Amino acid sequence: MAFASRRLGKELSKIHGNLPPGITLVTAEGFEEWLLDVQVLDENPIYMGKLFRLMFRFSKSYPIEPPEVTFVNTTDRPIPMHPHIYSNGIICLDLLSTQGWSPVQNVESVCMSLQSMLTGNTKNERPEGDEQFVASNRRRPRDIDFYYHDNTV
Amino acid sequence: MKTDDAYEVSDSSDWLETPLRSLSAVDAALRCQVCKDFYTTPMITSCSHTFCSLCIRRCLNNDGQCPTCRAKDQELKLRLNAVMEDLVEAFKKARPEIYTLATKPATSRASKSPKRGREGTDKAVEYEGPSRKRLRSTRQTRSTQELVIVDTDEEDRDFLPDGFVRCPICSKQVKEASINSHIDRNCPDESYNPKAKVSSIPSPSKGNKRQGKRPERLAQVHYSMVKDVGLRKKLSEQGLGTYGNRQAMERRYTEWVTLWNANCDATHPKGKGELRRELDIWERTQGAQAPFSSANHIGAQIKSKDFDAAAWSTLHNSSFKDLIANARKKAQASNSMLESRPKSPIPELPVSSKPHVVSPNHEEAQDLQALASFRDLSYMPPYASQTYQNEAILGNGNAFRNHPPVDDFQDARFAYGQYSDASIPEYSNHLPMFENKSDADSDNPTIPNVQS
């Protein structure tokens, strides 16, 4: 079995029924794409009562390479408002970039990071230049060179 | 060792449902943070973190940092963590036993424990689950302790273990109870010999002793210093394939060195044949033969100067054929639907056995560029809204608008989200024949003749 699928198999068996509160596994068919739902647990008015869907896409070099993690827009799951989340679901987070990623991270830890990133947010806004980025971006999230300047989130 | 339990997925969380919840931490501490499996040939970094040899070598090759603390480190500085290896081996052996005991229904445990309580004097019996195991290990430690004492006092000639006396005739150590019969039988060689006993106890550190000639480690290569010829030579020296482009060869050699060096660390190194098989697996999943090799580099790979068009076309020949067959089916279907059109834009498409990729002498640079840009464009993030996708196609897909088979393109790209990664290159690979032709005879909007 390939390296990536072995590791994902382990993660999956751990995830089943063992996820932290507010995070639920939606589908994990195969070792290429998983969907998870994330919910903010405290009473943050921006996200109260809302569910958000995360999509993980794994390359064959996972966990050496980071997974591609984005929010997905469905009828009842919007893209969360956040100064580091573009309206097409692309997340600007150091952890998910090639430089910031570490193989000790896993699906669960990424979900928790994103959950806490939402929990700690107070700004009901999109990143600067969102419209332009969304209209012009043709790259995969991991090929985008974000400039990580904000250490407050 | 990793293949042994390829289908058994054990995890530290297994213990959480048993009465032995605390074993979960023990289990987790014996696992590599990269592969989440028990350590295979654990190596310790300069920052004192431990990983499987293969895992940490792959990580360091990738970014030169410790996965846990992000400290810079080098492969050269890795050292074997032998104690951890012994621990893992011991725990791996004990684990199934403990687990079976721990997961036994409570009733069977309850019926057993009083019985043991009666016969046992050992405290360990009071523990429910792993009592038998505990008992055994306690005894083991005791006996080794005894022997260790004997061992350390070996030089002290006057020392005699409890219950032993020295025979006045042969000066051997003899049990006090049997000293008389010993002398009666003319001092036969039955005496207690501490040395012999000690050496018969298998000690884990002795089992680890590396015997025989160890294979020598290979050095990683500074690829910028090596020309293609030199790299091919290096590959064939190791008995590896020299196919694929430069990048594929570099990656193959790097992976081989990683596998090889990790194997050098192992207590029981595998044979070269076994390693080759592992490299083959890697080649099929992540290397040159991978259905979709590491996605992000494909554009660059095609654009690169020494892109091997012939190898590329042979590699994807079957996908091209499938696509032509599909396209023909689609074309026929739409043909029958659009009979109002005066002239069918779809000519007969004879299946050609030739590869359909652009030939090197055929405006290569331009075509490859176009192919690469299509590759970028063809990534339609499935999280994007439908309108976003439409916009993208109308905005950047102008090149295709004059083509009657624009439906096919849109289908192909809209469908992308539903396909696995493996199917993406089919579409992008498929492109050259359209692109190529659209440049060559753009005033003739037909599907090009695929017999290039």
Short mmCIF file of all heavy atoms in Angstrom, two decimals, chain A residues 17-76:
data_model
loop_
_atom_site.label_atom_id
_atom_site.label_comp_id
_atom_site.label_asym_id
_atom_site.label_seq_id
_atom_site.Cartn_x
_atom_site.Cartn_y
_atom_site.Cartn_z
N GLY A 17 -15.83 8.42 14.86
CA GLY A 17 -16.44 8.53 16.18
C GLY A 17 -15.57 9.20 17.22
O GLY A 17 -15.92 9.27 18.38
N ASN A 18 -14.44 9.72 16.80
CA ASN A 18 -13.50 10.25 17.79
C ASN A 18 -13.11 11.69 17.51
O ASN A 18 -12.04 12.12 17.90
CB ASN A 18 -12.24 9.40 17.80
CG ASN A 18 -12.20 8.49 18.99
OD1 ASN A 18 -12.61 8.89 20.08
ND2 ASN A 18 -11.74 7.27 18.79
N LEU A 19 -13.96 12.41 16.82
CA LEU A 19 -13.59 13.78 16.46
C LEU A 19 -13.95 14.73 17.59
O LEU A 19 -14.90 14.51 18.34
CB LEU A 19 -14.31 14.18 15.18
CG LEU A 19 -13.62 13.74 13.90
CD1 LEU A 19 -14.53 13.97 12.71
CD2 LEU A 19 -12.31 14.47 13.68
N PRO A 20 -13.20 15.82 17.71
CA PRO A 20 -13.54 16.81 18.73
C PRO A 20 -14.90 17.44 18.44
O PRO A 20 -15.35 17.41 17.29
CB PRO A 20 -12.41 17.84 18.62
CG PRO A 20 -11.56 17.43 17.50
CD PRO A 20 -12.01 16.15 16.95
N PRO A 21 -15.53 18.01 19.46
CA PRO A 21 -16.86 18.58 19.26
C PRO A 21 -16.85 19.66 18.18
O PRO A 21 -15.90 20.44 18.07
CB PRO A 21 -17.22 19.16 20.62
CG PRO A 21 -15.95 19.15 21.41
CD PRO A 21 -15.09 18.08 20.84
N GLY A 22 -17.90 19.69 17.38
CA GLY A 22 -18.02 20.71 16.34
C GLY A 22 -17.44 20.29 15.01
O GLY A 22 -17.57 21.00 14.02
N ILE A 23 -16.78 19.14 14.96
CA ILE A 23 -16.21 18.66 13.70
C ILE A 23 -16.81 17.30 13.39
O ILE A 23 -16.80 16.41 14.24
CB ILE A 23 -14.67 18.56 13.80
CG1 ILE A 23 -14.08 19.93 14.12
CG2 ILE A 23 -14.07 18.02 12.51
CD1 ILE A 23 -12.62 19.92 14.47
N THR A 24 -17.37 17.17 12.20
CA THR A 24 -17.94 15.88 11.82
C THR A 24 -17.46 15.47 10.44
O THR A 24 -17.29 16.32 9.56
CB THR A 24 -19.49 15.93 11.80
OG1 THR A 24 -19.87 17.17 11.22
CG2 THR A 24 -20.07 15.78 13.17
N LEU A 25 -17.28 14.18 10.28
CA LEU A 25 -16.86 13.65 8.99
C LEU A 25 -18.09 13.46 8.13
O LEU A 25 -19.09 12.88 8.58
CB LEU A 25 -16.13 12.32 9.21
CG LEU A 25 -15.54 11.66 7.97
CD1 LEU A 25 -14.39 12.48 7.45
CD2 LEU A 25 -15.08 10.26 8.29
N VAL A 26 -18.05 13.96 6.90
CA VAL A 26 -19.20 13.80 6.01
C VAL A 26 -18.96 12.61 5.08
O VAL A 26 -19.67 11.62 5.13
CB VAL A 26 -19.45 15.08 5.20
CG1 VAL A 26 -20.68 14.92 4.32
CG2 VAL A 26 -19.63 16.26 6.13
N THR A 27 -17.94 12.72 4.23
CA THR A 27 -17.59 11.55 3.42
C THR A 27 -16.08 11.42 3.37
O THR A 27 -15.36 12.41 3.39
CB THR A 27 -18.08 11.67 1.96
OG1 THR A 27 -17.68 12.92 1.46
CG2 THR A 27 -19.55 11.46 1.84
N ALA A 28 -15.65 10.19 3.31
CA ALA A 28 -14.22 9.91 3.11
C ALA A 28 -14.15 8.66 2.26
O ALA A 28 -13.83 7.58 2.72
CB ALA A 28 -13.51 9.72 4.43
N GLU A 29 -14.53 8.80 1.00
CA GLU A 29 -14.48 7.64 0.11
C GLU A 29 -13.16 7.68 -0.63
O GLU A 29 -12.90 8.58 -1.40
CB GLU A 29 -15.67 7.66 -0.86
CG GLU A 29 -16.94 7.17 -0.18
CD GLU A 29 -18.18 7.63 -0.91
OE1 GLU A 29 -18.09 7.90 -2.11
OE2 GLU A 29 -19.23 7.71 -0.25
N GLY A 30 -12.35 6.70 -0.35
CA GLY A 30 -11.04 6.67 -0.97
C GLY A 30 -10.10 7.61 -0.25
O GLY A 30 -10.45 8.22 0.76
N PHE A 31 -8.92 7.72 -0.79
CA PHE A 31 -7.90 8.51 -0.12
C PHE A 31 -7.52 9.72 -0.97
O PHE A 31 -6.37 10.12 -1.03
CB PHE A 31 -6.68 7.64 0.18
CG PHE A 31 -7.02 6.52 1.11
CD1 PHE A 31 -6.74 5.21 0.78
CD2 PHE A 31 -7.63 6.78 2.32
CE1 PHE A 31 -7.05 4.17 1.64
CE2 PHE A 31 -7.95 5.76 3.19
CZ PHE A 31 -7.65 4.46 2.85
N GLU A 32 -8.49 10.29 -1.66
CA GLU A 32 -8.19 11.46 -2.47
C GLU A 32 -8.93 12.69 -2.00
O GLU A 32 -8.39 13.79 -2.01
CB GLU A 32 -8.53 11.18 -3.93
CG GLU A 32 -7.41 10.47 -4.64
CD GLU A 32 -7.85 9.84 -5.93
OE1 GLU A 32 -8.98 10.08 -6.35
OE2 GLU A 32 -7.04 9.08 -6.51
N GLU A 33 -10.15 12.50 -1.59
CA GLU A 33 -10.96 13.66 -1.24
C GLU A 33 -11.85 13.32 -0.05
O GLU A 33 -12.59 12.34 -0.09
CB GLU A 33 -11.81 14.03 -2.46
CG GLU A 33 -12.49 15.37 -2.31
CD GLU A 33 -13.27 15.71 -3.57
OE1 GLU A 33 -12.64 15.78 -4.64
OE2 GLU A 33 -14.49 15.88 -3.47
N TRP A 34 -11.76 14.14 0.99
CA TRP A 34 -12.64 13.96 2.14
C TRP A 34 -13.41 15.25 2.37
O TRP A 34 -12.92 16.33 2.10
CB TRP A 34 -11.82 13.67 3.41
CG TRP A 34 -11.13 12.35 3.42
CD1 TRP A 34 -11.09 11.42 2.42
CD2 TRP A 34 -10.36 11.80 4.49
NE1 TRP A 34 -10.34 10.35 2.80
CE2 TRP A 34 -9.89 10.56 4.07
CE3 TRP A 34 -10.03 12.24 5.78
CZ2 TRP A 34 -9.10 9.74 4.88
CZ3 TRP A 34 -9.25 11.45 6.58
CH2 TRP A 34 -8.79 10.20 6.15
N LEU A 35 -14.62 15.08 2.90
CA LEU A 35 -15.42 16.24 3.27
C LEU A 35 -15.70 16.21 4.77
O LEU A 35 -16.03 15.16 5.32
CB LEU A 35 -16.74 16.24 2.51
CG LEU A 35 -16.66 16.37 0.99
CD1 LEU A 35 -18.04 16.24 0.37
CD2 LEU A 35 -16.05 17.70 0.59
N LEU A 36 -15.55 17.35 5.40
CA LEU A 36 -15.85 17.44 6.83
C LEU A 36 -16.67 18.70 7.09
O LEU A 36 -16.52 19.69 6.37
CB LEU A 36 -14.57 17.50 7.67
CG LEU A 36 -13.77 16.20 7.75
CD1 LEU A 36 -12.59 16.26 6.83
CD2 LEU A 36 -13.33 15.95 9.17
N ASP A 37 -17.52 18.63 8.10
CA ASP A 37 -18.29 19.81 8.50
C ASP A 37 -17.69 20.39 9.76
O ASP A 37 -17.33 19.66 10.68
CB ASP A 37 -19.76 19.43 8.75
CG ASP A 37 -20.55 19.48 7.46
OD1 ASP A 37 -20.03 20.00 6.46
OD2 ASP A 37 -21.70 18.98 7.47
N VAL A 38 -17.60 21.70 9.78
CA VAL A 38 -17.04 22.38 10.94
C VAL A 38 -18.05 23.39 11.44
O VAL A 38 -18.74 24.03 10.67
CB VAL A 38 -15.71 23.09 10.58
CG1 VAL A 38 -15.21 23.93 11.73
CG2 VAL A 38 -14.66 22.08 10.21
N GLN A 39 -18.09 23.53 12.76
CA GLN A 39 -19.06 24.39 13.39
C GLN A 39 -18.33 25.18 14.47
O GLN A 39 -17.46 24.63 15.14
CB GLN A 39 -20.11 23.48 14.03
CG GLN A 39 -21.36 24.13 14.47
CD GLN A 39 -22.29 23.10 15.12
OE1 GLN A 39 -21.99 21.91 15.13
NE2 GLN A 39 -23.37 23.57 15.67
N VAL A 40 -18.69 26.44 14.62
CA VAL A 40 -18.08 27.22 15.70
C VAL A 40 -18.94 27.06 16.93
O VAL A 40 -20.15 27.23 16.89
CB VAL A 40 -17.97 28.71 15.30
CG1 VAL A 40 -17.42 29.54 16.44
CG2 VAL A 40 -17.06 28.84 14.11
N LEU A 41 -18.31 26.70 18.04
CA LEU A 41 -19.10 26.27 19.19
C LEU A 41 -19.52 27.41 20.12
O LEU A 41 -20.54 27.32 20.76
CB LEU A 41 -18.33 25.21 19.98
CG LEU A 41 -18.17 23.90 19.20
CD1 LEU A 41 -17.25 22.96 19.93
CD2 LEU A 41 -19.50 23.23 18.94
N ASP A 42 -18.70 28.46 20.19
CA ASP A 42 -19.12 29.51 21.12
C ASP A 42 -20.12 30.45 20.43
O ASP A 42 -20.56 30.18 19.32
CB ASP A 42 -17.90 30.27 21.66
CG ASP A 42 -17.27 31.14 20.59
OD1 ASP A 42 -17.67 30.99 19.42
OD2 ASP A 42 -16.39 31.94 20.92
N GLU A 43 -20.44 31.55 21.10
CA GLU A 43 -21.53 32.37 20.57
C GLU A 43 -21.02 33.51 19.72
O GLU A 43 -21.46 34.64 19.84
CB GLU A 43 -22.38 32.88 21.74
CG GLU A 43 -23.09 31.73 22.43
CD GLU A 43 -23.95 32.17 23.59
OE1 GLU A 43 -23.92 33.38 23.92
OE2 GLU A 43 -24.62 31.32 24.17
N ASN A 44 -20.10 33.23 18.87
CA ASN A 44 -19.60 34.22 17.93
C ASN A 44 -20.74 34.59 16.97
O ASN A 44 -21.23 33.74 16.23
CB ASN A 44 -18.42 33.63 17.16
CG ASN A 44 -17.70 34.65 16.34
OD1 ASN A 44 -18.30 35.62 15.88
ND2 ASN A 44 -16.41 34.45 16.15
N PRO A 45 -21.17 35.88 16.98
CA PRO A 45 -22.35 36.24 16.18
C PRO A 45 -22.15 36.03 14.68
O PRO A 45 -23.13 35.87 13.95
CB PRO A 45 -22.56 37.73 16.50
CG PRO A 45 -21.24 38.20 17.07
CD PRO A 45 -20.61 37.02 17.72
N ILE A 46 -20.90 36.01 14.22
CA ILE A 46 -20.68 35.87 12.78
C ILE A 46 -21.02 34.45 12.30
O ILE A 46 -21.48 34.24 11.19
CB ILE A 46 -19.20 36.20 12.42
CG1 ILE A 46 -18.80 37.53 13.04
CG2 ILE A 46 -19.00 36.24 10.92
CD1 ILE A 46 -17.32 37.86 12.88
N TYR A 47 -20.77 33.51 13.15
CA TYR A 47 -20.90 32.11 12.71
C TYR A 47 -21.98 31.32 13.45
O TYR A 47 -22.12 30.13 13.24
CB TYR A 47 -19.57 31.38 12.89
CG TYR A 47 -18.39 32.09 12.28
CD1 TYR A 47 -17.39 32.63 13.08
CD2 TYR A 47 -18.31 32.24 10.91
CE1 TYR A 47 -16.31 33.28 12.52
CE2 TYR A 47 -17.23 32.90 10.34
CZ TYR A 47 -16.23 33.42 11.15
OH TYR A 47 -15.18 34.06 10.59
N MET A 48 -22.72 31.97 14.33
CA MET A 48 -23.66 31.24 15.18
C MET A 48 -24.66 30.43 14.37
O MET A 48 -25.25 30.94 13.42
CB MET A 48 -24.40 32.22 16.09
CG MET A 48 -23.93 32.10 17.52
SD MET A 48 -25.24 32.00 18.68
CE MET A 48 -26.08 33.53 18.52
N GLY A 49 -24.81 29.19 14.75
CA GLY A 49 -25.80 28.33 14.13
C GLY A 49 -25.50 27.96 12.69
O GLY A 49 -26.37 27.47 11.98
N LYS A 50 -24.27 28.19 12.26
CA LYS A 50 -23.95 27.86 10.87
C LYS A 50 -22.97 26.69 10.81
O LYS A 50 -22.13 26.52 11.68
CB LYS A 50 -23.33 29.06 10.17
CG LYS A 50 -24.35 30.10 9.78
CD LYS A 50 -23.65 31.23 9.04
CE LYS A 50 -24.59 32.42 8.88
NZ LYS A 50 -23.84 33.66 8.67
N LEU A 51 -23.14 25.91 9.75
CA LEU A 51 -22.20 24.81 9.49
C LEU A 51 -21.39 25.17 8.26
O LEU A 51 -21.89 25.80 7.34
CB LEU A 51 -22.98 23.53 9.19
CG LEU A 51 -23.40 22.65 10.38
CD1 LEU A 51 -24.24 21.50 9.85
CD2 LEU A 51 -22.19 22.11 11.10
N PHE A 52 -20.13 24.79 8.26
CA PHE A 52 -19.29 25.05 7.10
C PHE A 52 -18.67 23.75 6.63
O PHE A 52 -18.29 22.92 7.45
CB PHE A 52 -18.19 26.06 7.46
CG PHE A 52 -18.75 27.33 8.03
CD1 PHE A 52 -18.64 27.60 9.38
CD2 PHE A 52 -19.41 28.23 7.20
CE1 PHE A 52 -19.18 28.75 9.91
CE2 PHE A 52 -19.95 29.38 7.73
CZ PHE A 52 -19.84 29.66 9.09
N ARG A 53 -18.59 23.62 5.30
CA ARG A 53 -18.05 22.36 4.78
C ARG A 53 -16.62 22.55 4.27
O ARG A 53 -16.34 23.46 3.50
CB ARG A 53 -18.93 21.83 3.66
CG ARG A 53 -18.39 20.55 3.07
CD ARG A 53 -19.47 19.68 2.51
NE ARG A 53 -20.40 19.23 3.55
CZ ARG A 53 -21.49 18.52 3.30
NH1 ARG A 53 -21.82 18.21 2.07
NH2 ARG A 53 -22.27 18.15 4.28
N LEU A 54 -15.76 21.66 4.73
CA LEU A 54 -14.37 21.69 4.32
C LEU A 54 -14.09 20.54 3.36
O LEU A 54 -14.58 19.43 3.56
CB LEU A 54 -13.46 21.52 5.53
CG LEU A 54 -13.12 22.76 6.33
CD1 LEU A 54 -12.37 22.35 7.59
CD2 LEU A 54 -12.27 23.71 5.51
N MET A 55 -13.32 20.83 2.33
CA MET A 55 -12.90 19.75 1.44
C MET A 55 -11.38 19.59 1.52
O MET A 55 -10.65 20.55 1.36
CB MET A 55 -13.30 20.05 0.01
CG MET A 55 -12.92 18.92 -0.92
SD MET A 55 -13.61 19.11 -2.55
CE MET A 55 -12.61 20.43 -3.15
N PHE A 56 -10.97 18.37 1.77
CA PHE A 56 -9.55 18.02 1.79
C PHE A 56 -9.24 17.23 0.53
O PHE A 56 -9.94 16.28 0.21
CB PHE A 56 -9.22 17.12 3.00
CG PHE A 56 -9.14 17.85 4.30
CD1 PHE A 56 -10.29 18.29 4.93
CD2 PHE A 56 -7.91 18.07 4.90
CE1 PHE A 56 -10.21 18.95 6.14
CE2 PHE A 56 -7.83 18.73 6.11
CZ PHE A 56 -8.98 19.18 6.73
N ARG A 57 -8.20 17.64 -0.17
CA ARG A 57 -7.73 16.82 -1.30
C ARG A 57 -6.29 16.44 -1.03
O ARG A 57 -5.47 17.29 -0.72
CB ARG A 57 -7.87 17.58 -2.62
CG ARG A 57 -9.23 18.22 -2.77
CD ARG A 57 -9.40 18.90 -4.10
NE ARG A 57 -10.00 18.00 -5.07
CZ ARG A 57 -9.45 17.67 -6.22
NH1 ARG A 57 -8.27 18.13 -6.54
NH2 ARG A 57 -10.06 16.85 -7.03
N PHE A 58 -6.03 15.13 -1.14
CA PHE A 58 -4.70 14.64 -0.78
C PHE A 58 -3.92 14.24 -2.02
O PHE A 58 -4.48 13.61 -2.91
CB PHE A 58 -4.82 13.43 0.14
CG PHE A 58 -5.67 13.68 1.34
CD1 PHE A 58 -7.00 13.26 1.38
CD2 PHE A 58 -5.16 14.36 2.44
CE1 PHE A 58 -7.79 13.51 2.49
CE2 PHE A 58 -5.93 14.60 3.54
CZ PHE A 58 -7.25 14.18 3.57
N SER A 59 -2.66 14.61 -2.05
CA SER A 59 -1.82 14.14 -3.14
C SER A 59 -1.18 12.82 -2.72
O SER A 59 -1.30 12.40 -1.58
CB SER A 59 -0.75 15.17 -3.47
OG SER A 59 0.28 15.11 -2.51
N LYS A 60 -0.52 12.20 -3.67
CA LYS A 60 0.12 10.92 -3.37
C LYS A 60 1.28 11.10 -2.42
O LYS A 60 1.78 10.13 -1.85
CB LYS A 60 0.62 10.26 -4.66
CG LYS A 60 -0.46 9.97 -5.66
CD LYS A 60 -1.16 8.67 -5.33
CE LYS A 60 -2.22 8.35 -6.38
NZ LYS A 60 -3.22 7.42 -5.88
N SER A 61 1.75 12.32 -2.26
CA SER A 61 2.89 12.54 -1.38
C SER A 61 2.46 12.98 0.01
O SER A 61 3.30 13.37 0.81
CB SER A 61 3.82 13.60 -1.95
OG SER A 61 3.98 13.44 -3.32
N TYR A 62 1.16 12.97 0.30
CA TYR A 62 0.72 13.25 1.65
C TYR A 62 1.33 12.20 2.57
O TYR A 62 1.40 11.05 2.18
CB TYR A 62 -0.81 13.19 1.69
CG TYR A 62 -1.41 13.45 3.04
CD1 TYR A 62 -1.59 14.74 3.49
CD2 TYR A 62 -1.78 12.40 3.86
CE1 TYR A 62 -2.12 14.98 4.73
CE2 TYR A 62 -2.31 12.63 5.11
CZ TYR A 62 -2.49 13.92 5.54
OH TYR A 62 -3.01 14.15 6.77
N PRO A 63 1.79 12.52 3.76
CA PRO A 63 1.77 13.81 4.44
C PRO A 63 3.04 14.64 4.24
O PRO A 63 3.22 15.62 4.96
CB PRO A 63 1.65 13.39 5.89
CG PRO A 63 2.46 12.14 5.96
CD PRO A 63 2.33 11.47 4.63
N ILE A 64 3.90 14.24 3.31
CA ILE A 64 5.08 15.07 3.06
C ILE A 64 4.62 16.40 2.44
O ILE A 64 5.10 17.46 2.82
CB ILE A 64 6.08 14.34 2.13
CG1 ILE A 64 6.43 12.95 2.68
CG2 ILE A 64 7.31 15.17 1.89
CD1 ILE A 64 7.23 12.94 3.94
N GLU A 65 3.69 16.30 1.51
CA GLU A 65 3.10 17.51 0.95
C GLU A 65 1.80 17.82 1.69
O GLU A 65 1.11 16.91 2.12
CB GLU A 65 2.75 17.28 -0.53
CG GLU A 65 3.90 17.52 -1.46
CD GLU A 65 3.50 17.27 -2.91
OE1 GLU A 65 2.29 17.26 -3.22
OE2 GLU A 65 4.40 17.09 -3.73
N PRO A 66 1.46 19.11 1.80
CA PRO A 66 0.22 19.44 2.51
C PRO A 66 -1.00 19.02 1.70
O PRO A 66 -0.94 18.93 0.47
CB PRO A 66 0.28 20.97 2.63
CG PRO A 66 1.19 21.41 1.54
CD PRO A 66 2.18 20.30 1.36
N PRO A 67 -2.12 18.77 2.37
CA PRO A 67 -3.35 18.55 1.62
C PRO A 67 -3.88 19.90 1.13
O PRO A 67 -3.46 20.94 1.64
CB PRO A 67 -4.29 17.94 2.66
CG PRO A 67 -3.83 18.52 3.95
CD PRO A 67 -2.34 18.71 3.82
N GLU A 68 -4.77 19.84 0.16
CA GLU A 68 -5.36 21.08 -0.31
C GLU A 68 -6.68 21.23 0.44
O GLU A 68 -7.56 20.37 0.32
CB GLU A 68 -5.62 20.91 -1.81
CG GLU A 68 -5.72 22.18 -2.56
CD GLU A 68 -5.85 21.86 -4.04
OE1 GLU A 68 -4.83 21.52 -4.65
OE2 GLU A 68 -6.96 21.92 -4.56
N VAL A 69 -6.80 22.26 1.23
CA VAL A 69 -8.00 22.41 2.06
C VAL A 69 -8.73 23.68 1.67
O VAL A 69 -8.14 24.77 1.65
CB VAL A 69 -7.63 22.47 3.56
CG1 VAL A 69 -8.88 22.44 4.40
CG2 VAL A 69 -6.72 21.33 3.93
N THR A 70 -10.01 23.54 1.35
CA THR A 70 -10.82 24.70 0.99
C THR A 70 -12.21 24.54 1.59
O THR A 70 -12.65 23.44 1.88
CB THR A 70 -10.98 24.82 -0.54
OG1 THR A 70 -11.35 23.55 -1.05
CG2 THR A 70 -9.70 25.28 -1.19
N PHE A 71 -12.88 25.67 1.76
CA PHE A 71 -14.29 25.62 2.14
C PHE A 71 -15.11 25.44 0.87
O PHE A 71 -14.75 25.94 -0.20
CB PHE A 71 -14.71 26.92 2.84
CG PHE A 71 -14.29 26.96 4.28
CD1 PHE A 71 -13.20 27.70 4.68
CD2 PHE A 71 -15.01 26.24 5.22
CE1 PHE A 71 -12.82 27.73 6.02
CE2 PHE A 71 -14.63 26.27 6.56
CZ PHE A 71 -13.54 27.01 6.96
N VAL A 72 -16.20 24.68 0.96
CA VAL A 72 -17.04 24.46 -0.20
C VAL A 72 -18.39 25.11 0.05
O VAL A 72 -18.93 25.06 1.15
CB VAL A 72 -17.28 22.97 -0.49
CG1 VAL A 72 -17.25 22.72 -1.97
CG2 VAL A 72 -16.29 22.09 0.21
N ASN A 73 -18.92 25.67 -1.02
CA ASN A 73 -20.21 26.34 -0.94
C ASN A 73 -21.31 25.37 -1.36
O ASN A 73 -21.32 24.90 -2.48
CB ASN A 73 -20.18 27.54 -1.88
CG ASN A 73 -21.28 28.52 -1.58
OD1 ASN A 73 -22.07 28.29 -0.66
ND2 ASN A 73 -21.33 29.60 -2.34
N THR A 74 -22.22 25.04 -0.46
CA THR A 74 -23.38 24.24 -0.85
C THR A 74 -24.62 25.03 -0.43
O THR A 74 -24.50 26.10 0.16
CB THR A 74 -23.38 22.87 -0.15
OG1 THR A 74 -23.51 23.08 1.24
CG2 THR A 74 -22.10 22.11 -0.44
N THR A 75 -25.77 24.47 -0.71
CA THR A 75 -26.99 25.24 -0.47
C THR A 75 -27.14 25.67 0.99
O THR A 75 -27.51 26.80 1.27
CB THR A 75 -28.24 24.42 -0.88
OG1 THR A 75 -28.05 23.08 -0.40
CG2 THR A 75 -28.41 24.44 -2.38
N ASP A 76 -26.81 24.76 1.92
CA ASP A 76 -27.00 25.14 3.32
C ASP A 76 -25.66 25.35 4.04
O ASP A 76 -25.63 25.46 5.26
CB ASP A 76 -27.84 24.09 4.04
CG ASP A 76 -27.32 22.69 3.81
OD1 ASP A 76 -26.47 22.53 2.91
OD2 ASP A 76 -27.74 21.75 4.52
#
